[in-house]
Amino acid sequence: MGKGARTRSRKPTSPMGKMGASRPWGTIAAVVGILVFAAAVFGYVYISSGDKRERETALGPFVPSESNQDPSRKIPGVVVTEPPGADHVRPDQRVAYQGTPPYGGAHDQSWAACDGVVYSQAIRVENAVHSLEHGAVWIAYRPEISKADLDALRARVEGTNYALMSPVPTMDSPISLQSWGHQLKLDNAADERIDQFISALRVNRFAHPEVGATCAPLGPGRFDPDNPPPFDPTPPGPDAVPVDGAK
């Protein structure tokens, strides 16, 4: 270095200067999180909609129409009969049904609320049969079925108009489905025939007498869903009204 030359001092180099401006890692992480969440939501919706489409396709043959008025006849195990009558009985009268649960014939003048009600207690069957006349599907079950089966049945009824569910302790199968003049007895709630039965017969205008009748609760003094008439486990006596209503 020559005489008189000035010595230039070097400024310390900042590490950030070498790396460039600081990256907004927090913002990047937030954006990535949002994208991952959105992808997860999209995937769930896509899979759910696919499952729904698949279910609707599978149930297509069990949707009633003018040309297919009773699709339940395609379901293995369904018993179909023409109920012998639809007379009304008083609240203090029994009907001599041939089996339990009944699925047609004379019944109480008040229907059981069937607008998606799940009864925890067994209810009077004469009221439930009136609900079938209105187009409801009644899911009955023995009280000792598994919690998984109970939850699966409940999911099909809760919030579904023209559907009701209740235990029937004296029936001879774990699960039994009823509509007017139709019955299907089953061993478990995983059976695909449950959805087929409901699709074919719930508010099927070709398969029940009182098309357009309501399932709304009648209330205290008639049929109160919060305090329904109880199930009678004893056999009907000699004074019971015949199922065809004849006196």
Side-chain angles (χ1 to χ4, degrees):
M1 182 179 296
K3 186 178 178 182
R6 294 182 181 178
T7 304
R8 294 182 180 178
S9 61
R10 296 183 178 180
K11 295 181 180 179
T13 303
S14 168
M16 295 302 295
K18 290 182 179 180
M19 297 176 62
S22 175
R23 300 192 182 194
W25 294 110
T27 301
I28 293 172
V31 170
V32 170
I34 291 171
L35 291 174
V36 170
F37 177 76
V41 170
F42 175 79
Y44 173 79
V45 171
Y46 181 80
I47 292 171
S48 297
S49 61
D51 290 345
K52 183 179 179 182
R53 288 193 300 270
E54 184 177 335
R55 180 174 176 274
E56 289 174 349
T57 300
L59 292 177
F62 303 99
V63 175
S65 64
E66 286 286 353
S67 59
N68 186 22
Q69 295 187 0
D70 189 356
S72 74
R73 293 179 181 272
K74 303 175 185 175
I75 304 173
V78 169
V79 175
V80 182
T81 63
E82 183 64 35
D87 287 359
H88 288 175
V89 300
R90 300 189 309 270
D92 61 343
Q93 290 180 300
R94 303 280 302 280
V95 176
Y97 296 117
Q98 300 302 308
T100 302
Y103 53 100
H107 49 265
D108 193 273
Q109 59 191 353
S110 299
W111 60 89
C114 46
D115 53 347
V117 183
V118 174
Y119 296 96
S120 59
Q121 304 275 330
I123 64 174
R124 185 166 176 264
V125 296
E126 285 83 359
N127 298 100
V129 170
H130 193 156
S131 302
L132 306 184
E133 187 183 37
H134 288 198
V137 166
W138 173 26
I139 297 182
Y141 64 93
R142 289 185 61 87
E144 63 268 22
I145 66 170
S146 70
K147 183 180 184 302
D149 277 350
L150 186 63
D151 289 345
L153 295 176
R154 181 191 301 273
R156 291 176 168 97
V157 173
E158 280 187 335
T160 301
N161 203 8
Y162 293 94
L164 70 157
M165 172 177 160
S166 71
V168 177
T170 58
M171 53 191 257
D172 60 5
S173 63
I175 298 167
S176 184
L177 276 61
Q178 289 68 230
S179 71
W180 185 259
H182 299 72
Q183 186 172 64
L184 176 62
K185 295 186 176 184
L186 302 165
D187 292 328
N188 62 76
D191 198 309
E192 65 180 2
R193 291 175 293 171
I194 295 176
D195 291 330
Q196 294 171 358
F197 187 97
I198 294 171
S199 175
L201 294 166
R202 189 179 68 88
V203 288
N204 178 346
R205 63 189 178 92
F206 306 108
H208 68 98
E210 295 191 0
V211 176
T214 183
C215 259
L218 287 166
R222 296 290 300 279
F223 185 98
D224 183 359
D226 295 323
N227 185 29
F231 173 75
D232 188 341
T234 63
D239 60 341
V241 175
V243 70
D244 63 1
K247 300 298 187 289

